[in-house]
Amino acid sequence: QVQLVESGGGLVQPGGSLRLSCVASGSFFSINSMGWYRQAPGNQRELLAIITSGGSTNFADSVKGRFSISRDNAKNTVYLQMNSLKPDETAVYYCKVVARHTPGGALYVYWGQGTQVTVSS
């Protein structure tokens, strides 16, 4: 099992910045991709950014140029730097990790509990 703990959410003014962190712990052989999603009330959960074990990244068009994703493999941690935040980006932000429990074994998906981000003046 993999446990994910997110932090860094909170209240920020429009145009402001936040940095989210997600730490993975537990029993696993390796972590494949790590990513961030968000879900606003009444909306589906949407992908924001993904980073592979090799460091390749992909971003949703809506956040390109404003958000960045990085990971510290030694700490099993993924970060999401969010700049120029907008009120309609108020949502619960979730971390997702894909991990293996054995060499060459199946991939398993784990989600964090979410952290609230509120963009408001």
Side-chain angles (χ1 to χ4, degrees):
Q1 288 290 328
V2 176
Q3 292 78 47
L4 302 176
V5 177
E6 298 130 330
S7 61
L11 174 64
V12 63
Q13 292 188 341
S17 298
L18 279 177
R19 188 192 194 208
L20 305 182
S21 300
C22 173
V23 181
S25 63
S27 177
F28 52 89
F29 172 73
S30 64
I31 293 178
N32 192 315
S33 64
M34 307 179 86
W36 288 95
Y37 293 68
R38 68 186 173 199
Q39 187 169 19
N43 290 357
Q44 290 188 333
R45 191 169 298 189
E46 62 170 329
L47 168 66
L48 299 176
I50 286 181
I51 184 166
T52 68
S53 56
S56 298
T57 59
N58 276 298
F59 295 90
D61 288 343
S62 60
V63 304
K64 281 180 181 176
R66 298 186 299 118
F67 289 15
S68 63
I69 188 170
S70 61
R71 62 191 281 175
D72 183 333
N73 291 329
K75 297 181 179 180
N76 296 320
T77 301
V78 61
Y79 305 96
L80 184 69
Q81 177 67 43
M82 305 185 293
N83 300 324
S84 303
L85 284 161
K86 308 170 185 177
D88 63 2
E89 296 184 301
T90 294
V92 179
Y93 285 65
Y94 295 92
C95 168
K96 187 181 95 170
V97 161
V98 180
R100 297 183 193 273
H101 294 284
T102 59
L107 294 171
Y108 291 84
V109 176
Y110 297 92
W111 290 92
Q113 81 288 352
T115 184
Q116 177 70 44
V117 172
T118 301
V119 186
S120 175
S121 55

